[in-house]
Amino acid sequence: MSRETVTSLETPNKQPLVIWVIFFATIISFMGLGLVDPILPAIAVQLDATPSQVSLLFSSYNLITGIAMLITGVVSSRIGIKWTLLTGILFTIVFAGLAGSSNGIWQIVGFRGGWGLGNALFIATALSAIVGLSTGGTAKAIILYEAAIGLGISVGPLLGGELGSISWRGPFFGVSILMIIAFLALLLKMPKLEKPKVKSSVLDPIKALKYPGLFRLGLTAFLYNIGFFTLMAYSPFVMELDEHGLGYVFLGWGLCLAVTSVFIAPRLQERFGTIKSMTAMLILFALTLLAMGIWTDSKEVIIIAVIVAGLFLGTNNTLITTAVMEVAPVERATASAAYSFVRFFGGAVGPWLANKLAEVYSPHVPFIVGAIFVLLAMASVATGRKHLHHVDRISH
């Protein structure tokens, strides 16, 4: 898309109209993650499944999302950004609807994998589109993207709790309906963008991982995501709340995540630098998980800790995404795909591991193990400073 075209699309606040269309679609896309959280215990009871089996709803989704990151560049470079986004949304509409129509846990797990394919096509392309088309630089574009994620994640559990109180199928059908709205908005409002002149290869993201800085951030996110999804997929089972209660807890968590990703992360980045701020947030998140592991029997501690964790997660998400966009001399879409390919495997391991540890050992163990993985993520950043120091120079 030419600079002149972008300028003609700009709204009064200096962002192109296309950015706000993608922003809206991103909010709805990420509602799908939190929408499912309040119904995890209900699915376990009504489908006679164990918590570790139910946690595979996250694992299959994240596993396929991670693998599919290898083809997002291939697809978008051949059919264009607009149709890649629309294809991703279409997959989500179909597979979320099929999951809601399922009668067994393994059917839902399988359909969540198809949903993950749609998620991969959408989120990788949306991030590179927002960064590439927005005005004001990479950092502001990523803040906008993280704001959309935060809004989607925070509103999703509230809607999921309300729909889930009617039936566990409600949130799945809710995602389908909302994504139909997003599909129509993009179809009608998003202009056709020029395809990249160079066609991407499946191997491009893997080759990009040869850059030590990008590999280090991917490894950090892999370890950190195990802790992240321990909180997401395991804590609902120890809070002993109904769908409404879980929805409100994760609403608080998501609001904290949204606010810090937009307002706190840039200030910390400017004052202390990306790497120091990221290290501090990982330590604070690890301590939060450790507290949850010690006081697992206290419902009040778990609820407060989940909400407080949103403060650290929102800040860290913005910091690490900003660093990824600048750390390697490759196309932003390729960097995003490479990083996401690695990090989503952590999101696949974390949910199942946490619930399995609880079943085999005790309810305390998953949070403690999650804290250890987050501390390892912090160590990955701290020991890789020589590969990441230029990120702080760019950020400033």
Side-chain angles (χ1 to χ4, degrees), residues 13-214:
N13 63 2
K14 304 300 181 183
Q15 286 291 358
L17 176 61
V18 61
I19 292 298
W20 297 111
V21 174
I22 300 172
F23 179 82
F24 168 73
T26 302
I27 291 174
I28 298 177
S29 176
F30 276 89
M31 285 179 71
L33 182 65
L35 208 74
V36 177
D37 234 1
I39 60 171
L40 295 179
I43 290 176
V45 171
Q46 295 181 37
L47 295 184
D48 194 25
T50 64
S52 61
Q53 289 174 335
V54 174
S55 72
L56 293 175
L57 295 181
F58 284 106
S59 295
S60 63
Y61 177 83
N62 286 321
L63 178 64
I64 300 302
T65 297
I67 295 172
M69 284 294 169
L70 297 178
I71 66 166
T72 55
V74 175
V75 175
S76 64
S77 65
R78 285 162 174 76
I79 67 174
I81 289 176
K82 178 176 181 177
W83 289 106
T84 303
L85 290 172
L86 291 172
T87 301
I89 291 174
L90 192 60
F91 270 101
T92 301
I93 292 168
V94 171
F95 284 103
L98 289 172
S101 303
S102 300
N103 293 312
I105 187 65
W106 298 113
Q107 287 180 310
I108 304 175
V109 169
F111 290 136
R112 280 282 284 180
W115 187 341
L117 174 58
N119 182 59
L121 290 171
F122 180 84
I123 64 173
T125 312
L127 175 58
S128 60
I130 286 178
V131 171
L133 295 175
S134 69
T135 58
T138 299
K140 289 184 178 179
I142 289 172
I143 289 169
L144 193 65
Y145 178 74
E146 291 294 340
I149 292 175
L151 286 169
I153 288 176
S154 60
V155 175
L158 183 63
L159 185 59
E162 296 301 317
L163 294 176
S165 65
I166 301 170
S167 167
W168 66 263
R169 301 177 190 274
F172 293 107
F173 292 133
V175 169
S176 274
I177 293 169
L178 289 170
M179 289 306 276
I180 289 172
I181 297 172
F183 182 90
L184 294 174
L186 278 174
L187 183 65
L188 297 174
K189 295 296 183 180
M190 186 171 178
K192 185 177 180 180
L193 308 180
E194 293 178 7
K195 298 177 185 177
K197 293 182 174 61
V198 179
K199 297 289 189 294
S200 296
S201 162
V202 173
L203 297 178
D204 286 347
I206 295 176
K207 290 177 181 177
L209 291 172
K210 71 181 181 183
Y211 295 101
L214 184 58

Side-chain angles (χ1 to χ4, degrees), residues 37 153 157 227-241 245-257 284-285 287-293 295 298-314 367:
D37 234 1
I153 288 176
F228 182 101
F229 279 96
T230 293
L231 183 140
M232 285 286 289
Y234 176 60
S235 63
F237 290 101
V238 297
M239 280 190 272
E240 298 178 352
L241 298 173
L246 289 171
Y248 284 118
V249 170
F250 280 99
L251 170 65
W253 170 79
L255 288 174
C256 287
L257 187 148
L284 289 171
F285 179 42
L287 291 175
T288 304
L289 286 173
L290 184 60
M292 295 170 77
W295 292 288
S298 171
K299 183 167 69 174
E300 292 75 18
V301 169
I302 298 298
I303 290 171
I304 293 170
V306 167
I307 294 171
V308 169
L311 299 172
F312 314 134
L313 297 173
F367 293 122

Side-chain angles (χ1 to χ4, degrees), residues 251-276:
L251 170 65
W253 170 79
L255 288 174
C256 287
L257 187 148
V259 169
T260 53
S261 67
V262 176
F263 299 107
I264 305 301
R267 287 172 172 77
L268 290 176
Q269 193 174 36
E270 185 176 350
R271 182 165 182 180
F272 301 107
T274 303
I275 307 307
K276 283 184 179 179

